[in-house]
Amino acid sequence: MLAVRAVLAGAMILCGILILARMLASLSAGFAVLSGVVLGAALIALGVHRLSLIARARRMM
Amino acid sequence: MARSTKGSGPELRRTVTPWGSFAWGYSDVGADIFVGLGLVLAWAAGASNVAFLFAGIVYVCIGLAYTELAATYPVAGGGQYFVMRGLGDIFGFIAGWAVLLDFTIDVTLFAWSSVDYSSQLLPALVNSIHPWLHFTVVLALVVGLCILNVIGVRESTAFNGFVSALDVISETCILCFGFLFAFRPQLLIHAMHFNWPSPYDLMLGTSLAIVSFVGLESISQAAQETQRPASIIPRTSVSLILTILIFALAYSNLALGLAPWHPIVDAAGHAQQFWQIFPHNADNQGKAVALLAAQVPYYGAFAALYVPVLGAVLLLISSNSGVFGSSRIAYAMSSSNLLPSIFQRVHGKYRTPTISIVFFSTIAIVELIFAAAPALHPSVGSLYAHFFHGENGLEFLADLYAFGAATSYSFVFLGLIALRLSDPLSPRKFKIPLNLPLHVRGERVEFPVIAVIGFIGIFSILMFTLRTHALGRIFGPSWLLLGLILYLVYRAYRRLPLLRSQQRNWRAAQVDILRRAGELELMDEYVANLKASDARRAAPRT
């Protein structure tokens, strides 16, 4: 179960990095990318948070 | 209400697991996007994602503030308790009374929206076509939830968890299919460039966007029923805050850049973008997520069948949380002598706060009548059109919801700042980031910069609400004024200080809170902090 959760968290981080990279590549669009940048950053943050919880759970096992 | 009668008085059982705590919050806040998306798209148009971004950033600050406060003071009173402890009784009452407004609106708004989602599969329930049937069904739901809460039936944590898990999976699928097969960045940029709203509409849209992030009181309610809340609550809250933010930002961007699976045309036969079906269409505003799901390629064929049902169930759970949440807050306020003790009275047979439940459900019904009146009777409709910019029922409820949330959240930020300065000795296992170290009255304190940023943000939203919501700026302050009069009359009757606070022993209270929460290490740390502080203060005199 922990492995599945870790894969999902990894996928979240990957999605966040992809969105962030695409947004940063389209900076010429200006203000329009701001919401996407925050979305990408939030996905990475959630993924990292989930991974840290999984690591804590593994340490306690 | 889950209660046991150990010790001196009734007390909530601590049986909620980390997932249960997440699901509790998710079923409360997660349902908001089902209501908020359509309203924001209707007013903020091409700037909907910006409106959600602004409200979302403010919401993250509020969420972090609630997480710190709920982990430090794990009591069910929530915002009202934090503000009372930080700023005093009268401000605690105002914050609690604003939360009570939100809970009563929550009952009506989510029952209303639940019927709107059902109408996607049952066209007889469409408000604009059969307003009386729509009104009757919403009324029956509110009355039904009131009766269920009086006899003590509450949806179980397991059911909450199941629906929340289903919704997280469903929303993730909708977003994945939507972004993979239907999202066109050029449509998003086109909408933002050519359909940017007027400043008035942007303010209105932003104030409505906060509707998608209301319900953080559930964090403190979950804290009261979670074992070792100081450790568990920060873990689940951060996940909850980020999940809700991601869904809100993703939905608003997808809605603006969605190439519809089935062509959408207006009355003249011109092709429309997806978001354009929301302005001036209250029926569509009430079921935005179901409409969006149906327009997602491939997955939409399946989603069109189940999303209205899932949405209706999730919204009904949220509506129910308004019924028991209001009675619980009233109970807590009554325990602190902010409301008459009648709100603490428990039914002899059912062991539920019947008077409280019936009182606040009746207020919810009055709000429903105000919301439904323009659709039910043409003369009321023309009255609303003349004086209140023709607001529809959903907008009326969302107005008040935004007002109540912005008011109570503003006070919570002030309460957090005050508690950081006045109670630096309470151990804080979770602190919101970005703090300035200071020395106040001989103690080292950390001033929360994020709380100031959050306060500026939520206070701006409160100002937007007052500026742009024709009904909200009348009914919201009237609710607060009425509450203040009741508060002063009650305090005078009980011979309690009117504007000042009652004397309380917060030190003993905090030790008791930590002991009941099972946070014995934190309790020991707090007692040690107190002793060290007292020794420091006594030192110069000896």
Side-chain angles (χ1 to χ4, degrees):
Chain A
M1 193 61 191
L2 278 184
V4 176
R5 285 165 60 186
V7 169
L8 286 174
M12 254 180 235
I13 295 174
L14 197 65
C15 280
I17 291 171
L18 278 173
I19 293 173
L20 210 54
R22 278 200 68 175
M23 291 298 139
L24 293 177
S26 326
L27 274 181
S28 56
F31 202 50
V33 301
L34 188 59
S35 176
V37 169
V38 177
L39 176 61
L43 273 166
I44 294 170
L46 182 58
V48 170
H49 177 66
R50 301 292 305 158
L51 281 180
S52 73
L53 292 184
I54 291 163
R56 186 199 298 243
R58 270 186 68 89
R59 278 199 302 274
M60 287 170 69
M61 279 167 74
Chain B
M1 287 174 142
R3 291 172 194 288
S4 66
T5 47
K6 290 184 288 183
S8 55
E11 171 182 324
L12 297 162
R13 281 197 298 269
R14 293 187 178 273
T15 53
V16 178
T17 60
W19 168 251
S21 155
F22 175 87
W24 190 334
Y26 187 83
S27 61
D28 236 11
V29 194
D32 292 350
I33 190 70
F34 283 78
V35 178
L37 183 64
L39 288 167
V40 177
L41 287 169
W43 289 102
S48 295
N49 54 352
V50 176
F52 273 110
L53 177 64
F54 182 78
I57 290 170
V58 173
Y59 154 79
V60 170
C61 298
I62 300 163
L64 292 174
Y66 261 92
T67 304
E68 176 180 325
L69 290 165
T72 311
Y73 311 102
V75 290
Q80 161 265 325
Y81 179 84
F82 310 141
V83 176
M84 181 183 75
R85 196 159 164 170
L87 299 174
D89 287 6
I90 191 159
F91 293 108
F93 172 81
I94 295 170
W97 194 244
V99 170
L100 282 172
L101 170 67
D102 255 13
F103 273 126
T104 58
I105 291 288
D106 184 286
V107 178
T108 310
L109 176 62
F110 287 93
W112 180 294
S113 223
S114 178
V115 176
D116 280 348
Y117 272 86
S118 306
S119 74
Q120 183 69 0
L121 297 177
L122 300 168
L125 293 175
V126 172
N127 187 31
S128 62
I129 301 171
H130 302 288
W132 275 103
L133 183 60
H134 186 277
F135 170 74
T136 310
V137 176
V138 178
L139 182 65
L141 286 177
V142 174
V143 172
L145 290 176
C146 173
I147 293 169
L148 284 178
N149 277 274
V150 165
I151 60 174
V153 179
R154 228 188 85 188
E155 83 282 9
S156 70
T157 309
F159 182 65
N160 252 359
F162 174 71
V163 174
S164 299
L166 215 58
D167 189 65
V168 170
I169 294 167
S170 162
E171 295 202 31
T172 307
C173 289
I174 292 167
L175 291 170
C176 284
F177 274 82
F179 276 108
L180 280 174
F181 300 112
F183 183 67
R184 305 281 177 272
Q186 62 275 23
L187 281 181
L188 171 74
I189 292 168
H190 181 274
M192 289 186 79
H193 281 178
F194 295 102
N195 299 96
W196 192 262
S198 65
Y200 182 90
D201 286 349
L202 182 58
M203 280 195 285
L204 181 53
T206 306
S207 61
L208 288 170
I210 200 70
V211 167
S212 303
F213 304 111
V214 179
L216 286 164
E217 282 293 314
S218 58
I219 291 179
S220 54
Q221 289 185 350
Q224 168 85 357
E225 296 187 32
T226 306
Q227 191 61 241
R228 304 212 59 188
S231 316
I232 301 294
I233 290 298
R235 287 187 227 161
T236 55
S237 293
V238 172
S239 298
L240 175 71
I241 293 163
L242 289 172
T243 306
I244 301 289
L245 177 71
I246 288 165
F247 281 152
L249 290 178
Y251 266 123
S252 54
N253 280 299
L254 179 61
L256 288 180
L258 186 84
W261 194 25
H262 309 292
I264 301 172
V265 289
D266 62 10
H270 299 123
Q272 282 189 302
Q273 276 187 256
F274 172 74
W275 66 268
Q276 289 175 314
I277 64 173
F278 295 101
H280 313 295
N281 190 327
D283 292 333
N284 285 347
Q285 287 165 21
K287 51 187 177 188
V289 174
L291 293 171
L292 188 144
Q295 287 292 355
V296 167
Y298 317 118
Y299 189 71
F302 173 52
L305 300 174
Y306 82 83
V307 170
V309 180
L310 183 64
V313 172
L314 196 67
L315 289 161
L316 208 55
I317 292 175
S318 205
S319 178
N320 187 43
S321 72
V323 180
F324 78 79
S326 57
S327 61
R328 189 171 292 202
I329 296 287
Y331 189 95
M333 289 173 74
S334 180
S335 310
S336 309
N337 285 324
L338 303 182
L339 279 179
S341 58
I342 196 168
F343 290 107
Q344 281 187 80
R345 233 173 256 173
V346 173
H347 191 277
K349 183 179 171 189
Y350 300 120
R351 310 297 301 156
T352 53
T354 311
I355 293 173
S356 202
I357 292 169
V358 172
F359 179 81
F360 290 106
S361 298
T362 307
I363 291 174
I365 290 170
V366 172
E367 288 159 355
L368 170 64
I369 293 167
F370 270 104
L376 296 178
H377 205 282
S379 62
V380 181
S382 57
L383 198 74
Y384 274 43
H386 187 69
F387 290 107
F388 306 124
H389 300 176
E391 285 197 8
N392 62 48
L394 200 62
E395 284 166 357
F396 166 75
L397 295 170
D399 273 11
L400 286 181
Y401 204 47
F403 175 84
T407 305
S408 62
Y409 288 160
S410 297
F411 278 106
V412 167
F413 280 125
L414 296 177
L416 172 72
I417 295 168
L419 282 168
R420 280 282 191 94
L421 300 178
S422 65
D423 183 26
L425 302 177
S426 282
R428 290 166 168 82
K429 244 189 159 172
F430 176 86
K431 269 185 194 167
I432 56 176
L434 273 182
N435 299 296
L436 287 178
L438 298 173
H439 274 86
V440 176
R441 292 191 294 269
E443 298 291 348
R444 186 181 180 279
V445 301
E446 290 183 278
F447 186 82
V449 178
I450 293 278
V452 176
I453 296 169
F455 176 77
I456 294 168
I458 196 69
F459 194 71
S460 314
I461 290 179
L462 180 61
M463 291 300 112
F464 295 166
T465 308
L466 292 174
R467 170 73 186 86
T468 58
H469 295 237
L471 280 164
R473 69 167 159 257
I474 296 170
F475 283 82
S478 304
W479 169 264
L480 289 186
L481 193 65
L482 176 73
L484 268 175
I485 293 168
L486 289 175
Y487 171 81
L488 293 174
V489 169
Y490 167 68
R491 299 279 281 200
Y493 174 74
R494 288 285 312 274
R495 298 179 192 282
L496 292 167
L498 292 183
L499 301 177
R500 296 199 352 238
S501 301
Q502 214 181 323
Q503 285 292 324
R504 290 186 180 88
N505 186 349
W506 289 123
R507 287 183 167 197
Q510 184 65 6
V511 170
D512 192 46
I513 287 168
L514 293 173
R515 184 182 56 75
R516 283 168 189 259
E519 295 287 2
L520 300 181
E521 285 170 27
L522 292 185
M523 187 183 80
D524 290 343
E525 189 185 331
Y526 179 59
V527 172
N529 287 348
L530 290 178
K531 282 182 182 163
S533 169
D534 288 345
R536 275 198 304 274
R537 284 168 197 276
R541 278 181 253 143
T542 52

